[in-house]
């Protein structure tokens, strides 16, 4: 008599790489050994690769000092967001930046600093005070900055990188020149945990009680011109209307949509729409349930009730002439 002792394969989690990024750190801190990890070079690459083979992913969403992560919200404008990829969790990391250089680097000779846009922004005051003439080079991640520094010609000892102290340990030829260089010591980054299905739950280690949240994307519905309109335009060569900044539907969003859900709105983000109309925008509305949450984990009926309530709000938004999509519930 034989017993099948084969272990269930651990799900694969994608993160913004390479090894040593803050995204890698927060993923490991919150998912531990429940999963296996695979890196991707950009936030877009992580989002695009979410699938049944790679059911989960982690991307940065916002920093408390430098604001929203543009690359993440830019991808959330795509049609795959809310159709093939969903937000199913979040995690927060205290971020402590370090100035890192090749061993033997004289700080006084630094002429170039590499890092991710967010890290450069979070250390802006420090850089301007200490390296006012340094060239700032943006790269895809903080770990990519350290990697590029490690791979540079050894004769070039005038570049430095901003990354974590943990990241620096992955490179034998790098050392920390100065620690805690971020402008604010209470510097935190929030991350989204993505999934290939709205019904898939990431195996997060954090079991603290929390309120349920949702993210909804809202945009104006762009009416399509008829063929006759296009033919007439081609004959008369009517120029397109001039862009009108004041045509943005901000008043509609603020006065109507924010009260449509009947649910507390915790944040609103805006990015340019993917439509061909200048100054058209897409809005990201984050919602949070009412009342204290003491359930660990929340009961399925509570989650289903929350999804239905958010869905009802989405339907009311559509009824007033906008397009709305649930991007995530967690």
């Amino acid at each position: 008599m034989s017993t099948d002792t084969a272990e269930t394969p651990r799900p694969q989690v994608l993160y913004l790489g390479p090894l040593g990024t803050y995204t890698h750190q927060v993923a490991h801190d919150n998912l531990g050994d429940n999963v296996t990890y695979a890196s991707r070079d950009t936030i877009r690459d992580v989002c695009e690769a979410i699938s049944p083979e790679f059911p989960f992913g982690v991307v940065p969403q916002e920093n408390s000092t430098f604001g929203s992560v543009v690359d993440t919200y830019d991808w959330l404008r795509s049609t795959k967001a809310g159709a093939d990829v969903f937000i199913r969790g979040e995690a927060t990391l205290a971020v402590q930046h370090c100035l890192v250089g090749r061993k033997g680097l004289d700080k006084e000779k630094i002429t170039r600093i590499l890092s991710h846009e967010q890290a450069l922004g979070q250390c802006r005051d420090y850089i301007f005070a200490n390296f006012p003439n340094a060239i700032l080079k943006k790269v895809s991640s903080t770990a990519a900055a350290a990697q590029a520094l490690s791979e540079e010609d050894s004769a070039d000892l005038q570049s430095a990188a901003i990354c974590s102290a943990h990241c620096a340990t992955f490179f034998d030829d790098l050392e920390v020149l100065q620690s805690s260089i971020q402008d604010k010591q209470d510097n935190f980054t929030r991350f989204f945990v993505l999934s290939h299905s709205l019904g898939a739950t990431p195996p997060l280690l954090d079991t603290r009680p929390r309120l349920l949240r949702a993210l909804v994307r809202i945009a104006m519905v762009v009416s399509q011109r008829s063929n006759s309109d296009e033919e007439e335009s081609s004959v008369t060569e009517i120029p397109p209307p001039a862009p009108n900044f004041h045509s943005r539907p901000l008043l509609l969003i603020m006065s109507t949509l924010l009260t449509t859900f009947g649910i507390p709105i915790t944040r609103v983000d805006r990015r340019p729409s993917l439509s061909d109309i200048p100054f058209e925008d897409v809005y990201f509305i984050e919602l949070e349930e009412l009342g204290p949450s003491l359930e660990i984990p929340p009961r399925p009926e509570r989650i289903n009730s929350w999804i239905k309530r958010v869905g009802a709000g989405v339907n009311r938004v559509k009824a007033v002439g906008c397009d709305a999509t649930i991007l995530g519930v967690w």
Side-chain angles (χ1 to χ4, degrees), residues 50-280:
I50 299 293
S51 65
E53 181 183 1
F54 298 100
F56 303 110
V58 181
V59 294
Q61 176 261 333
E62 181 192 21
N63 176 262
S64 59
T65 301
F66 200 59
S68 300
V69 178
V70 172
D71 288 348
T72 296
Y73 279 98
D74 278 352
W75 189 86
L76 289 174
R77 298 177 301 173
S78 74
T79 56
K80 289 188 68 175
D84 301 316
V85 179
F86 301 88
I87 301 163
R88 293 293 290 121
E90 67 174 72
T92 302
L93 179 71
V95 174
Q96 299 286 314
H97 292 302
C98 295
L99 184 70
V100 172
R102 296 283 287 268
K103 291 181 178 178
L105 172 65
D106 182 353
K107 279 179 59 178
E108 301 298 324
K109 296 182 179 180
I110 292 176
T111 59
R112 187 176 67 144
I113 300 176
L114 299 77
S115 198
H116 186 272
E117 176 184 25
Q118 279 277 335
L120 293 172
Q122 293 162 35
C123 303
R124 179 166 44 197
D125 292 346
Y126 168 83
I127 294 171
F128 287 167
N130 294 275
F131 309 100
N133 299 316
I135 298 171
L136 306 183
K137 182 178 179 180
K138 301 176 184 178
V139 294
S140 59
S141 68
T142 52
Q147 184 178 53
L149 195 65
S150 177
E151 294 173 352
E152 281 189 344
D153 188 340
S154 59
D156 178 12
L157 292 178
Q158 295 181 322
S159 296
I162 294 176
C163 62
S164 68
H166 174 69
C167 176
T169 64
F170 291 100
F171 304 92
D172 293 336
D173 55 347
L174 301 184
E175 63 179 352
V176 174
L177 304 176
Q178 190 168 344
S179 301
S180 297
I181 64 171
Q182 65 279 355
D183 296 335
K184 294 184 178 180
Q185 294 307 305
D186 54 343
N187 187 42
F188 294 87
T189 297
R190 183 190 189 210
F191 298 79
F192 280 152
V193 181
L194 308 177
S195 172
H196 73 291
S197 168
L198 196 56
T201 302
L204 293 167
L205 300 175
D206 187 0
T207 58
R208 290 175 296 179
R210 58 176 179 78
L211 298 174
L212 295 177
R213 295 186 173 92
L215 185 68
V216 176
R217 182 183 64 217
I218 298 175
M220 297 299 292
V221 176
V222 180
S223 60
Q224 301 295 326
R225 293 189 303 172
S226 66
N227 291 334
S228 60
D229 289 338
E230 293 178 355
E231 292 172 359
E232 181 180 350
S233 296
S234 64
V235 173
T236 59
E237 297 184 355
I238 298 176
N244 181 6
F245 175 86
H246 298 289
S247 67
R248 286 176 165 167
L250 184 59
L251 291 178
L252 176 63
I253 295 292
M254 298 302 294
S255 64
T256 303
L257 301 183
L258 298 188
T259 59
T260 297
F261 286 95
I263 301 171
I265 306 293
T266 57
R267 62 177 294 131
V268 178
D269 290 275
R270 176 180 61 81
R271 293 297 298 151
S273 170
L274 294 178
S275 74
D276 295 330
I277 300 178
F279 299 119
E280 280 289 332

Side-chain angles (χ1 to χ4, degrees), residues 280-324:
E280 280 289 332
D281 300 314
V282 58
Y283 295 83
F284 299 92
I285 312 297
E286 190 168 321
L287 310 168
E288 185 177 84
E289 71 174 336
L290 289 165
S293 169
L294 301 176
E295 299 172 341
I296 308 173
R299 290 172 293 127
E301 53 267 33
R302 175 178 157 216
I303 296 175
N304 291 335
S305 175
W306 173 242
I307 293 175
K308 288 181 179 179
R309 187 171 183 184
V310 174
V314 164
N315 290 334
R316 288 193 291 270
V317 169
K318 292 179 178 179
V320 300
C322 291
D323 178 60

Side-chain angles (χ1 to χ4, degrees), residues 39-61:
S39 68
R40 291 294 184 271
D41 292 336
T42 67
I43 290 173
R44 180 184 181 87
D45 290 342
V46 171
C47 298
E48 290 287 343
I50 299 293
S51 65
E53 181 183 1
F54 298 100
F56 303 110
V58 181
V59 294
Q61 176 261 333

